[in-house]
Amino acid sequence: QVQLVESGGGSVQAGGSLRLSCTASGLTFADYAMGWFRQAPGKEREEVSCINLRGDFTYYADSVKGRFTISRDNAKNTLSLQMDSLTPEDTATYYCAADRTFGFCSTRAPNYEYWGQGTQVTVSS
């Protein structure tokens, strides 16, 4: 069955960095656009970033633009999110998701078919 497993979350002070990874199995990774979403307690889930099949198109939410970098390695079935200059507002559970699309990556969560279990990121001031 399809599995998306996130790793790399943790606790960091404001201004620090973390690198999240998502390893996919049970699907042809190169056939899926991939996205990172996050959800903080009491808030709605929001898209952070997404990347298309080949990795030559990316999207970033305004709140993370210039600080986060999404990338993928289709040979290793791995999605990554480099997060720099973290702020307490970045505190959330981060999820990776897969969307079988042949176009650009989607910013809409309902378009994503498969989801990971999430990894917690906590940024203290």
Side-chain angles (χ1 to χ4, degrees):
Q1 80 264 24
V2 175
Q3 279 193 311
L4 302 177
V5 180
E6 301 97 338
S7 60
S11 297
V12 65
Q13 289 197 326
S17 298
L18 284 173
R19 185 176 181 87
L20 304 184
S21 294
C22 171
T23 301
S25 60
L27 52 71
T28 303
F29 185 70
D31 287 348
Y32 287 78
M34 299 296 295
W36 285 101
F37 293 78
R38 67 185 181 186
Q39 187 166 21
K43 295 188 177 180
E44 293 188 355
R45 181 174 48 187
E46 63 170 336
E47 176 150 47
V48 173
S49 181
C50 70
I51 188 167
N52 71 342
L53 306 184
R54 294 184 303 275
D56 55 5
F57 174 84
T58 57
Y59 161 85
Y60 297 95
D62 287 343
S63 58
V64 307
K65 200 171 294 182
R67 301 188 297 121
F68 289 12
T69 304
I70 192 171
S71 61
R72 66 187 296 161
D73 185 336
N74 287 348
K76 296 182 178 179
N77 288 5
T78 301
L79 174 74
S80 297
L81 185 69
Q82 176 66 39
M83 306 187 296
D84 298 319
S85 302
L86 286 162
T87 74
E89 289 68 38
D90 295 316
T91 295
T93 301
Y94 284 71
Y95 302 89
C96 67
D99 172 22
R100 181 146 193 180
T101 178
F102 298 100
F104 299 118
C105 56
S106 172
T107 60
R108 297 183 67 249
N111 286 356
Y112 287 80
E113 299 160 56
Y114 301 109
W115 292 80
Q117 82 289 349
T119 187
Q120 178 66 36
V121 171
T122 302
V123 185
S124 58
S125 57

